[in-house]
Amino acid sequence: MSKQLLFTPTSVGPFTLKHRVVMAPLTRMRSSEGNVPNEMMAEYYAQRATPGGLIIAEATPVSPYGFGYAGAPGIFTQAQVEGWRKVVDAVHAKGGVIFLQLWHVGRQSHSLLQPGGIDPVAPSAIQAEGYAYAQSGAVPFGMPRALLLEEIPAIVEEFRHGAELAKSAGFDGVEIHGANGYLPDQFLQDGTNKRTDAYGGSIENRARFLLEITSAATLVWGPGRVGVRLSPSSSYGSMHDSDPEETFGYAAKALDTLGLAYLHIVEPRIKGDDTLDKDAAPVAVHYLRPLFSGPIIAAGGFNRESAEELLFQGDADMVAFGRAFIANPDLPRRLQENLPLNAYDRDTFYGGDAGGYTDYPFAAQQVSSE
Ligand code: 8OZ
């Protein structure tokens, strides 16, 4: 008999969740002109909404300079707010709870994706390996320009503004994307931050940007409405730190003073491909658990069994699913009833039309035997 802890209630800030199967933030690159969310996106999220289920909507740049992927939706114009409102309303109509993930890619970009064709920004002028996606297709990450000290408050303000626009679109909260080698992570880890000012050097200084943008969001939203995503073990985007446990332990403790909705931790198994060890134990949630008093969401290649196991061990309160949620709009039901899962099609993950987006089938409803 399976444990079924995934289907016991829990709470996030003021919300009572009916289950612990969280939809992970997933870049799908299907917004309309002007990076405006559209009806197709509303349908996609509504398909995946469940009463009392938490959805973290996809990574969404707070600034025109925060893009690394053409077609990602934004949260810095009024048209984007109106587009997101359709998504939020559709999820709320099904009883779901939806947070928006606030994003700035920093150096994981290219001048082709930057207004005016300027270089992307980063804490330090160090180039990452990997690819951004311009309208014309994949381009290697460009050489970034190191931010001047006096430019940093304007980026903090962009996060605050994004948090405010997310609130006016009707979201239930926001998540700061502090993971996967994007701008806040570039500040946090010492492999990418060689600054000698108040934002570099000591861990207190390297965490300053993350804490400032998170505080800015909590001032907009109040307690229990802001989550933070971190990826202590990921090397995606050429990320590394000389002492991840110390760095991320400090961040978790400092974030714990801000009255957050949750901490969302990406475990090491997922680095952007499927070849990694899916049986590796979740390590980060284990050492971060004692340092953060709020709810923890774990993510990274979990299946029903490994998610139940993790909840049973007590290192996390919820588990986020990505690829399984792409291919299974009714994932919570399938997990609860132990139904087979649809396979995902990686070719339609990023960009395109309804194919591989809103056309994955729901499991047939059970017909009563006569
Ligand atoms: C895959 C492709 C593009 C973006 C992340 C926002 O890694 C992403 C992302 C993932 O968090």
Side-chain angles (χ1 to χ4, degrees):
M1 180 62 201
S2 56
K3 300 182 200 94
Q4 292 269 339
L5 290 173
L6 280 169
F7 298 93
T8 57
T10 191
S11 57
V12 163
F15 306 102
T16 300
L17 302 184
K18 291 205 167 82
H19 62 80
R20 297 156 186 256
V21 179
V22 175
M23 181 176 170
L26 297 160
T27 290
R28 307 303 309 275
M29 295 162 62
R30 280 171 169 85
S31 72
S32 296
E33 186 71 27
N35 306 98
V36 174
N38 51 41
E39 295 287 352
M40 184 172 74
M41 290 171 62
E43 182 185 352
Y44 161 80
Y45 281 107
Q47 286 176 342
R48 286 156 183 78
T50 50
L54 175 62
I55 289 175
I56 305 164
E58 66 208 77
T60 297
V62 295
S63 160
Y65 299 98
F67 284 85
Y69 301 86
I75 187 80
F76 49 86
T77 70
Q78 203 51 41
Q80 291 160 357
V81 170
E82 301 313 324
W84 277 121
R85 205 187 309 280
K86 292 178 200 160
V87 172
V88 169
D89 288 349
V91 169
H92 285 166
K94 294 192 67 182
V97 175
I98 182 165
F99 278 42
L100 180 65
Q101 195 189 46
L102 303 181
W103 197 24
H104 193 308
V105 301
R107 70 177 187 164
Q108 287 195 39
S109 186
H110 185 280
S111 54
L112 281 172
L113 282 142
Q114 296 289 313
I118 62 173
D119 290 331
V121 296
S124 302
I126 304 169
Q127 200 166 3
E129 276 180 37
Y131 294 87
Y133 287 85
Q135 293 289 358
S136 52
V139 281
F141 294 138
M143 181 66 183
R145 173 178 75 76
L147 281 163
L148 300 173
L149 180 62
E150 55 269 31
E151 291 178 296
I152 295 175
I155 302 184
V156 176
E157 168 55 23
E158 288 176 328
F159 274 92
R160 192 206 61 78
H161 184 242
E164 194 171 281
L165 293 188
K167 196 172 183 187
S168 74
F171 279 98
D172 297 303
V174 291
E175 175 176 289
I176 300 293
H177 196 344
N180 300 343
Y182 299 114
L183 187 59
D185 202 16
Q186 291 160 31
F187 271 97
L188 191 59
Q189 300 200 48
D190 63 15
T192 40
N193 184 344
K194 305 295 180 194
R195 300 181 74 91
T196 54
D197 59 15
Y199 290 87
S202 65
I203 173 56
E204 289 82 359
N205 283 356
R206 285 183 281 121
R208 191 177 309 283
F209 181 75
L210 172 68
L211 295 170
E212 285 182 352
I213 62 176
T214 306
S215 299
T218 61
L219 285 177
V220 170
W221 279 93
R225 302 279 195 148
V226 178
V228 174
R229 192 178 219 215
L230 299 174
S231 54
S233 339
S234 173
S235 58
Y236 179 75
S238 313
M239 294 306 293
H240 54 100
D241 188 81
S242 57
D243 191 347
E245 260 194 68
E246 172 79 13
T247 294
F248 288 92
Y250 176 86
K253 266 195 273 186
L255 289 168
D256 197 31
T257 64
L258 300 180
L260 299 185
Y262 60 80
L263 190 59
H264 185 177
I265 305 296
V266 185
E267 287 295 350
R269 291 171 289 187
I270 292 309
K271 291 175 183 163
D273 62 41
D274 295 320
T275 59
L276 287 129
D277 180 7
K278 294 189 182 61
D279 299 321
V283 290
V285 283
H286 186 68
Y287 73 77
L288 295 176
R289 181 62 143 178
L291 305 175
F292 184 82
S293 60
I296 289 186
I297 305 175
F302 286 93
N303 60 25
R304 186 170 170 272
E305 288 70 34
S306 55
E308 286 290 350
E309 182 63 30
L310 180 64
L311 295 178
F312 182 73
Q313 285 170 2
D315 283 340
D317 303 284
M318 291 158 273
V319 179
F321 294 84
R323 292 163 298 165
F325 240 125
I326 286 177
N328 297 274
D330 51 355
L331 182 67
R333 175 184 168 221
R334 289 186 193 231
L335 293 177
Q336 185 162 25
E337 298 179 18
N338 206 12
L339 302 172
L341 301 187
N342 298 323
Y344 58 80
D345 170 29
R346 181 171 288 279
D347 291 345
T348 51
F349 278 3
Y350 308 114
D353 53 20
Y357 192 55
T358 51
D359 64 352
Y360 282 105
F362 287 70
Q365 290 300 324
Q366 207 120 31
V367 282
S368 56
S369 50
E370 288 161 56

